[in-house]
């Protein structure tokens, strides 16, 4: 990307960036907030800035610092170029709070217009804000004029800028009423009936910091939701924790325990291991502790619940064995993410080993800590672009991974949605699920349609090799290995049905059935 375009809308839609996205197999980019925002006073005093932009002031204007000239023209052009490349654009939008902060914050907009209407106030002391967001104030969408403003803003970005959808930051706040979260809240009802927004993709961050704020699985059927249960389970599993195969099996098959209701499909869950908030994938396997000293809060900010594993050394190292293990675990996480049913979300930069030096809350770091470092493109073993491209091709090849139908086991006619298998290729029984400290999981996803191939997936998070058998099925004479995360370059290997092989320590494998 040309130096003058870096950090701008034009940089995102530059030919080299689009080529990179296409190589990865990306179909949609989700941008952090691009609405006009201001820097918090407390950050300015520390000579820092609100790098992520979650401090919105203007809900109808793109942020000027992301453009060289006219911001609106620049953004609209970028959306058009991405669309020409077959890539959708979604916006992360912050309607849950504004840049005005708490009662000590500046009067910039809504506070001066109608403070009591735009914000939730403490009923017994309306000088203070009811803060469900942790940002000083909470926007009150139960008021019709406030709701109208948000709906007008959403329609503007769809109709004028042609964005394809939205990810709603702290979405629980948007659906709050006097008694907490309400699935029939005015905002959710307005979205459902709106002719412009009915076709937009809607993704909720389904929690806030208020009472009853955690609402994963509770949003209406037209919504998708960030699935933090997937993140937690897969982080724990690949960091070495045992006795998780039951949990992992649910997360790899769409999290039916969370989303199988009200006509929802696996696409209700947005699976992710890393996002902007938290460790990058490289840091997840390089640090056991957060290192947020640069944020000026004495390392108190950011989550302490990371389920990370530094593989034996905190931070960068030249130890070849540790470096190799970290790369292997990154590949395993990416492989699982793209083999799992549900919508996969990848953090930009994870494909090239981007690091934030252990900072898991880089919201105020507009510098080398927070920027995506592309140096990994030139480091042997760190550039996983081709690997992710291989995984997205597998995802296209096997439509059952992208299924809209919840899985079942053996059916009366002998067909199946999923078969859970022991290492000896027998169907799992209750005692197999309760295997002490179990770290091995193997299963077959049946063909989506007659004539299509099944896919046999093996996850081995154990620190040792585990021998296993390929499933013996009359209709499939052989199994073709289409993935082995231990391989530097993927090789096609054929195995006879019922034959034995082994899964290397901490590896993911996949096989296609062949008649």
């Amino acid at each position: 990307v040309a130096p003058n375009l870096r950090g701008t809308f034009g940089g995102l839609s530059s030919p080299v960036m689009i080529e990179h996205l296409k190589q990865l197999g990306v179909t949609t980019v989700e941008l952090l907030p691009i609405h006009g925002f201001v820097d918090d006073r407390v950050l300015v005093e520390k000579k820092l800035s609100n790098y992520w932009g979650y401090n919105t002031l203007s809900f109808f204007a793109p942020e000027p610092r992301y453009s060289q000239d006219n911001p609106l023209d620049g953004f609209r052009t970028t959306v058009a170029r991405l669309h020409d490349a077959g890539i959708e654009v979604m916006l992360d939008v912050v309607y849950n709070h504004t840049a005005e902060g708490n009662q000590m914050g500046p009067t910039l907009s809504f506070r001066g217009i109608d403070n009591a209407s735009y914000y939730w106030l403490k009923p017994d002391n309306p000088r203070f804000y009811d803060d469900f967001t942790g940002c000083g104030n909470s926007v009150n969408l139960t008021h019709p004029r406030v709701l109208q403003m948000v709906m007008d803003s959403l329609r503007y970005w769809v109709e004028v800028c042609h964005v394809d959808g939205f990810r709603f930051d702290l979405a629980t706040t948007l659906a709050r009423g006097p008694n907490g979260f309400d699935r029939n809240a005015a905002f959710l009802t307005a979205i459902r009936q709106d002719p412009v927004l009915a076709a937009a993709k809607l993704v909720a961050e389904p929690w806030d910091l208020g009472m009853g704020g955690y609402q994963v699985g509770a949003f209406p059927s037209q919504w998708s939701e960030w699935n933090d249960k997937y993140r937690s389970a897969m982080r724990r599993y690949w960091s070495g924790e045992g006795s998780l195969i039951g949990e992992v099996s649910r997360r790899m098959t769409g999290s039916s325990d969370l989303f199988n209701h009200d006509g929802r499909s696996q696409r209700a869950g947005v699976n992710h291991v890393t996002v902007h908030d938290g460790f990058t994938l490289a840091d997840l396997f390089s640090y056991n502790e957060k290192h947020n000293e640069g944020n000026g809060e004495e390392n108190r900010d950011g989550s302490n619940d990371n389920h990370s594993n530094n593989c034996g050394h905190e931070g960068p190292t030249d130890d070849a064995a540790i470096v190799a293990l970290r790369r292997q675990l990154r590949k395993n996480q990416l492989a699982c993410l793209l083999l799992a049913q549900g919508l996969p979300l990848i953090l930009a930069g994870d494909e090239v080993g981007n690091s934030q030096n252990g900072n898991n809350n880089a919201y105020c770091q507009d510098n080398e800590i927070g920027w995506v470092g592309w140096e990994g493109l030139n480091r042997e073993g760190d550039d996983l672009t081709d690997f992710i491209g291989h995984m997205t091709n597998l995802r296209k090849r096997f439509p059952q991974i992208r299924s809209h139908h919840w899985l079942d086991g053996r059916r009366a006619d002998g067909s199946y949605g999923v078969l859970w298998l022991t290492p000896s290729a027998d169907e799992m029984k209750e005692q197999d699920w309760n295997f002490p400290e179990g770290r091995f999981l193997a299963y077959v996803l049946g063909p989506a349609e007659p004539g299509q191939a099944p896919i046999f997936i093996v996850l081995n998070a154990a620190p040792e090799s585990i021998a296993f058998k390929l499933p013996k099925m009359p209709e499939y004479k052989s199994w073709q290995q289409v993935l082995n995360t231990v391989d530097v370059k993927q090789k096609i290997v054929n195995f006879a049905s019922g034959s034995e092989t082994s899964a290397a320590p901490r590896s993911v494998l996949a096989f296609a059935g062949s008649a």
Side-chain angles (χ1 to χ4, degrees), residues 383-401:
D383 182 8
L384 300 180
T385 304
D386 288 342
F387 176 76
I388 293 175
H390 177 72
M391 294 306 308
T392 53
N393 283 331
L394 286 183
R395 194 173 176 88
K396 293 173 187 172
R397 177 177 169 184
F398 295 96
Q400 58 266 57
I401 299 175

Side-chain angles (χ1 to χ4, degrees), residues 319-335:
D319 187 307
I322 293 176
V323 170
L325 176 57
R326 288 174 175 177
R327 288 173 179 161
Q328 177 67 22
L329 292 171
R330 284 166 50 210
K331 289 174 73 176
N332 292 346
Q333 286 285 20
L334 291 167

Side-chain angles (χ1 to χ4, degrees), residues 159-390:
E159 292 183 308
V160 175
C161 298
H162 308 295
V163 303
D164 301 280
F166 305 93
R167 178 266 190 188
F168 293 85
D169 183 61
L170 300 182
T172 297
T173 296
L174 310 182
R176 279 190 177 274
N179 300 313
F181 177 79
D182 179 4
R183 289 189 84 227
N184 297 308
F187 170 68
L188 299 178
T189 302
I191 287 265
R192 189 180 301 125
Q193 62 77 48
D194 189 276
V196 173
L197 301 175
K201 291 178 167 62
L202 306 173
V203 176
E205 183 184 34
W207 51 76
D208 65 13
L209 302 184
M211 186 73 72
Y214 187 78
Q215 294 293 333
V216 174
F219 276 73
S221 56
Q222 102 193 81
W223 288 71
S224 298
E225 305 173 35
W226 275 22
N227 184 1
D228 68 324
K229 296 288 190 186
Y230 178 94
R231 175 181 62 189
S232 176
M234 302 313 291
R235 283 188 174 200
R236 292 165 61 200
Y237 182 66
W238 289 114
S239 70
E241 189 174 331
S243 302
L244 283 172
I245 56 174
E247 173 84 356
V248 170
S249 72
R250 290 190 290 275
R251 303 305 154 227
M252 290 297 293
T253 53
S255 297
S256 61
D257 55 325
L258 301 174
F259 303 114
N260 187 7
H261 59 83
D262 298 325
R264 308 184 82 182
S265 74
Q266 291 94 326
R267 298 177 71 80
V270 177
N271 298 326
H272 58 282
V273 178
T274 53
V275 291
H276 64 282
D277 185 5
F279 281 143
T280 67
L281 190 58
D283 288 355
L284 187 65
F285 297 115
S286 300
Y287 296 92
N288 281 351
E289 308 294 335
K290 64 184 181 183
H291 295 271
N292 299 355
E293 291 81 6
N295 295 357
E297 297 184 45
E298 298 179 346
N299 209 32
R300 292 190 301 267
D301 64 307
S303 175
N304 295 312
D305 186 24
N306 296 296
H307 302 299
S308 59
N309 180 356
N310 67 14
C311 300
H313 180 85
E314 189 77 355
T317 179
D318 294 326
D319 187 307
I322 293 176
V323 170
L325 176 57
R326 288 174 175 177
R327 288 173 179 161
Q328 177 67 22
L329 292 171
R330 284 166 50 210
K331 289 174 73 176
N332 292 346
Q333 286 285 20
L334 291 167
C336 285
L337 186 61
L338 288 158
L339 289 172
Q341 294 183 323
L343 298 173
L345 176 67
I346 298 173
L347 175 64
D350 278 354
E351 73 272 29
V352 293
N354 180 54
S355 171
Q356 293 176 170
N357 302 328
N359 191 316
N360 75 349
N361 190 33
Y363 77 103
C364 56
Q365 299 294 336
D366 188 2
N367 50 47
E368 287 84 355
I369 294 174
W371 300 339
V372 175
W374 298 99
E375 299 85 1
L377 283 168
N378 303 313
R379 279 199 300 264
E380 185 180 356
D382 266 348
D383 182 8
L384 300 180
T385 304
D386 288 342
F387 176 76
I388 293 175
H390 177 72

Side-chain angles (χ1 to χ4, degrees), residues 27 78 105 199 254 283 285 302 304 310 401 429 432 438 469 473 497-498:
T27 58
T78 286
D283 288 355
F285 297 115
N304 295 312
N310 67 14
I401 299 175
K429 298 180 172 58
D432 299 314
K469 286 185 177 180
M473 298 178 178
S497 181

